[in-house]
Amino acid sequence: MDNRTIAQLLSETADLLEISSGDPFRIRSYRRAAEAVESSTIQLSTIADDPKKLLAIPGIGKGMAANIQEMERAGTLPLREELLVKFRPSMLELLKLPGMGPKSVALFWDALGIASVDELAAAIDQGRLNTLPRFGQKQIDKLKKGIEDYRRNSGRFLIDEAETAAEKVMAYLRAFPGIDRLTPAGSLRRGRETAGDVDILATGPACAEDCVAAAVEYTAAYPPISDLLAKGQNKVSFRLRNGLQVDVRLLPEASYGAALQYFTGSKMHNVSIRQRALKHGYTLSEYALARVDDGSTVAAATEEEIYAALGLDWIPPELRENNGEIEAAAEHRLPTLIELKDIRGDVHMHTDATDGRNTIREMADAALARGYEYIAITDHSKNLAMTNGLDDARALEHIRRIREVDAEMGGRLRVFPGIEVDILGDGALDLSDEVLAQMDVVIASVHSLFNQPMEQMTERVLRALENPHVRILGHPTGRLLLRREAFQVDIAAVMRRAAELGVAMEHNAYPDRLDLCDRDLRLAKELGCRIVINTDSHHTSHMEKMRYGVRQLRRAWLTKNDVLNTRPAEGFLAALRPKP
DNA sequence: GGAGATCTCTCCAAGATATCGACATATCT
């Protein structure tokens, strides 16, 4: 069992304990253990038979070690099974709705027997919630909207989860002799934020028509398969334990490009491309670009030759949404999209001074190893008390330490002092101007305000922008994918004012965040509003998530010049709003 | 349930905000 699965079981047990109003400290220890397992670099299955090694992990004690061993042995956790007899598995789903916590789940269950999102939706329609304490019309409306959002997104997976699954499948396939090229297609290749399923294309001598059967059998024997959905001549579909569907296609090398083009999509892009092919007297299928008249193949082996035969430059997968990319490719004016290697610094990260896991130095070393030229340490301010947020005095001490590490790095990496400061209810910030004045990177963050009406929210954010120390607006929309849409803000109004003031908009690369969607990013560019992309790393390993964010920027047609942290250190600071 | 001080017990993550119902509670980060 992999760490992620163990962590998930532990965390679900914590949720169930909370619904059953169990001991809060016991609940917390399950959550802590889940976090510890998830962020551990050691694969627990390899040390499960050695209690000493398990106990060495902070947050894992005698009881938790026994739990982990039991999970490795039996694949389940007894306490969780016990609780699931009392409650229902679908109740865990209810917790994902905005404004729903364990208390409400317990209340709905006790009073109305509601155990699932569908049952809740039905109860709302029947007006059965009105009788409950704490649930007025406003709350009910919010739930209703939450259910709609949830239904729209459910069944989809975050891109990193889909990609991790795809990589594991590909590693397995690569071990088969005669499979030598593997590419994920579909929304994964297009760099979408979420994926409904995973498409993988494979080719090589083993995929030739007369011998592909053996490779198909091998694919269908992939051990983590929980459900084999289909096994055809050159296609295998299956479902993994987490519910993710994977389609593997094993294709001869000659038609690999056509297949890749077809399975990458998007659907609308393909429709337009095929129309264009017809106008040129060709027909495009997943097997080849061929002449309509005699059916002879024009191009099939690579995408480049197919696009070229249609008079088009090769179109990066991220742009294939039928949003003008075909016209641009025809006129040779596709933008040179930003790339991961263009990013020179990550200016939003946390350390063990607040809720991060690593020291300033560890973060700096990890950033240097990634090839960055600079970072900013931006821990939380005191308003986020749970994270042990910094007050003025601690912030000053932290700045001192950050400058020390900056000196220790000897110019190989610049480490800028910064802060992720909270915007309070009145639009003020929760640290003094004197302290903020000493920071290079002040990120005013929206993320502790939520559920406010749009006008109020917008007004507060606009007021915060007027503080001359604010250089970046953090989490400008606070969108969380697959979970909650927490903030409603007039993003156009905010960007317009930010552009005037020179305040940059933050885009978060972390896969469950979508601070700015394609539309927002394009709008920012249009309005001349600067963009910074960060990972908001709480652990050295989080920095690698940058690649997902860069792909989102590519989807919005952004180039290197559109993003501030592609500039060298001095240029980056100079491009931010001038310090007062 | 974990960690740390004692050898079985003690302590353990906090403050802002919205909502509902008129002070408290649940949820959020």
Side-chain angles (χ1 to χ4, degrees):
Chain A
M1 190 176 278
D2 62 7
N3 286 3
R4 203 190 174 106
T5 312
I6 295 174
Q8 193 187 341
L9 290 178
L10 289 172
S11 145
E12 284 176 6
T13 307
D15 287 340
L16 289 165
L17 278 170
E18 212 165 352
I19 293 169
S20 72
S21 45
D23 171 16
F25 298 110
R26 194 181 181 202
I27 294 165
R28 191 188 307 153
S29 69
Y30 272 88
R31 289 208 195 288
R32 275 200 53 181
E35 279 178 44
V37 170
E38 184 133 47
S39 63
S40 171
T41 50
I42 311 161
Q43 195 55 244
L44 292 202
S45 50
T46 62
I47 58 165
D49 48 2
D50 188 349
K52 267 193 197 135
K53 285 186 182 162
L54 287 176
L55 289 170
I57 301 171
I60 307 288
K62 231 169 92 189
M64 222 38 95
N67 279 336
I68 291 169
Q69 288 179 320
E70 182 59 20
M71 279 186 275
E72 281 297 338
R73 198 187 58 75
T76 58
L77 184 59
L79 177 60
R80 176 173 172 277
E81 299 307 311
E82 208 175 290
L83 288 163
L84 280 176
V85 172
K86 209 160 134 198
F87 304 110
R88 303 278 178 72
S90 56
M91 289 164 80
L92 295 168
E93 224 180 358
L94 282 172
L95 288 171
K96 294 181 181 167
L97 298 174
M100 281 289 279
K103 299 286 178 192
S104 303
V105 174
L107 176 69
F108 289 167
W109 174 246
D110 291 340
L112 303 168
I114 292 171
S116 71
V117 175
D118 288 341
E119 287 168 16
L120 177 60
I124 291 174
D125 289 340
Q126 294 158 8
R128 287 164 64 207
L129 253 54
N130 307 350
T131 57
L132 295 177
R134 293 196 324 272
F135 281 89
Q137 198 51 46
K138 222 166 174 173
Q139 197 76 334
I140 291 174
D141 289 344
K142 203 163 28 176
L143 272 180
K144 217 168 160 175
K145 186 178 177 305
I147 292 173
E148 281 167 24
D149 287 346
Y150 178 78
R151 284 185 170 155
R152 219 182 0 259
N153 278 328
S154 69
R156 293 192 74 83
F157 290 78
L158 288 173
I159 196 74
D160 61 330
E161 199 177 345
E163 195 171 88
T164 306
E167 274 162 9
K168 283 184 188 164
V169 176
M170 291 195 291
Y172 172 78
L173 293 176
R174 204 167 284 127
F176 189 81
I179 294 184
D180 46 35
R181 268 174 73 201
L182 287 152
T183 320
S187 41
L188 204 55
R189 183 158 182 248
R190 298 205 310 283
R192 284 283 303 266
E193 296 83 13
T194 61
D197 58 12
V198 167
D199 286 306
I200 294 171
L201 299 190
T203 193
C207 301
E209 215 169 314
D210 52 346
C211 67
V212 68
V216 165
E217 288 305 322
Y218 175 77
T219 307
Y222 179 53
I225 290 180
S226 86
D227 262 329
L228 186 64
L229 303 172
K231 192 175 76 179
Q233 209 168 39
N234 57 11
K235 176 184 156 177
V236 181
S237 292
F238 52 85
R239 203 177 285 287
L240 299 171
R241 178 156 38 184
N242 62 5
L244 181 65
Q245 185 179 326
V246 180
D247 297 330
V248 178
R249 290 184 175 78
L250 303 138
L251 301 157
E253 285 170 302
S255 61
Y256 194 71
L260 190 55
Q261 197 286 322
Y262 174 71
F263 290 114
T264 298
S266 66
K267 188 179 161 193
M268 289 316 293
H269 173 85
N270 284 356
V271 168
S272 295
I273 288 285
R274 287 174 172 208
Q275 282 171 352
R276 186 178 175 91
L278 285 174
K279 275 185 203 146
H280 283 68
Y282 299 139
T283 166
L284 178 62
S285 73
E286 60 195 276
Y287 300 106
L289 180 72
R291 264 182 235 293
V292 174
D293 45 18
D294 60 1
S296 63
T297 296
V298 176
T302 70
E303 281 192 340
E304 284 80 358
E305 64 188 48
I306 292 170
Y307 281 105
L310 296 172
L312 300 173
D313 294 337
W314 179 78
I315 301 173
E318 293 91 341
L319 299 187
R320 300 186 194 173
E321 299 291 347
N322 199 31
N323 274 332
E325 73 278 9
I326 297 172
E327 294 76 5
E331 295 161 19
H332 308 295
R333 52 174 180 81
L334 282 172
T336 305
L337 299 177
I338 185 169
E339 291 180 48
L340 182 58
K341 67 175 170 55
D342 295 328
I343 305 292
R344 299 200 193 196
D346 189 339
V347 294
H348 184 162
M349 51 184 69
H350 300 269
T351 69
D352 57 4
T354 61
D355 62 347
R357 292 297 166 83
N358 297 100
T359 62
I360 302 168
R361 181 59 197 258
E362 285 163 353
M363 296 305 267
D365 285 335
L368 185 64
R370 286 188 58 82
Y372 285 150
E373 296 168 25
Y374 54 95
I375 58 172
I377 300 294
T378 54
D379 273 300
H380 290 289
S381 56
K382 64 183 179 192
N383 185 45
L384 235 57
M386 189 201 102
T387 65
N388 191 24
L390 307 175
D391 57 19
D392 278 356
R394 285 183 61 217
L396 285 174
E397 172 57 24
H398 204 42
I399 292 174
R400 195 186 60 72
R401 180 68 196 130
I402 293 168
R403 291 200 199 287
E404 270 176 23
V405 174
D406 183 41
E408 285 167 24
M409 300 308 286
R412 290 170 300 157
L413 179 94
R414 291 302 317 276
V415 184
F416 299 127
I419 191 92
E420 179 178 14
V421 67
D422 267 30
I423 299 174
L424 298 176
D426 54 2
L429 304 179
D430 68 333
L431 286 185
S432 72
D433 286 348
E434 293 71 45
V435 171
L436 294 179
Q438 302 196 38
M439 308 277 189
D440 286 324
V441 177
V442 175
I443 303 176
S445 182
V446 180
H447 71 1
S448 62
L449 306 171
F450 51 92
N451 284 339
Q452 297 174 352
M454 182 151 93
E455 297 72 32
Q456 198 177 335
M457 186 80 201
T458 305
E459 192 192 317
R460 287 174 181 185
V461 173
L462 287 173
R463 215 176 306 163
L465 291 180
E466 298 304 320
N467 183 311
H469 298 288
V470 172
R471 306 184 90 181
I472 297 175
L473 183 66
H475 306 304
T477 70
R479 276 193 204 96
L480 282 171
L481 283 163
L482 305 195
R483 222 161 63 89
R484 302 150 200 272
E485 194 143 349
F487 317 128
Q488 298 193 326
V489 73
D490 181 347
I491 192 69
V494 169
M495 283 182 179
R496 231 170 257 128
R497 186 62 185 142
E500 287 166 9
L501 295 168
V503 175
M505 280 300 123
E506 170 171 65
H507 183 62
N508 207 295
Y510 220 74
D512 67 347
R513 291 260 181 202
L514 186 61
D515 286 331
L516 301 170
C517 61
D518 304 358
R519 194 186 54 229
D520 298 330
L521 287 164
R522 282 196 298 265
L523 181 66
K525 186 173 177 172
E526 247 174 69
L527 296 173
C529 182
R530 296 136 195 229
I531 296 164
V532 172
I533 182 162
N534 292 321
T535 55
D536 194 357
S537 286
H538 286 68
H539 189 280
T540 51
S541 68
H542 293 174
M543 290 182 206
E544 70 176 72
K545 306 286 184 186
M546 183 61 90
R547 60 196 162 116
Y548 299 110
V550 169
R551 267 149 70 175
Q552 289 172 345
L553 300 183
R554 288 168 64 86
R555 289 178 55 76
W557 294 57
L558 296 191
T559 67
K560 186 178 165 182
N561 291 335
D562 297 323
V563 179
L564 290 191
N565 45 331
T566 59
R567 306 186 184 197
E570 292 69 33
F572 168 74
L573 285 185
L576 292 175
R577 177 195 218 170
K579 291 177 75 165

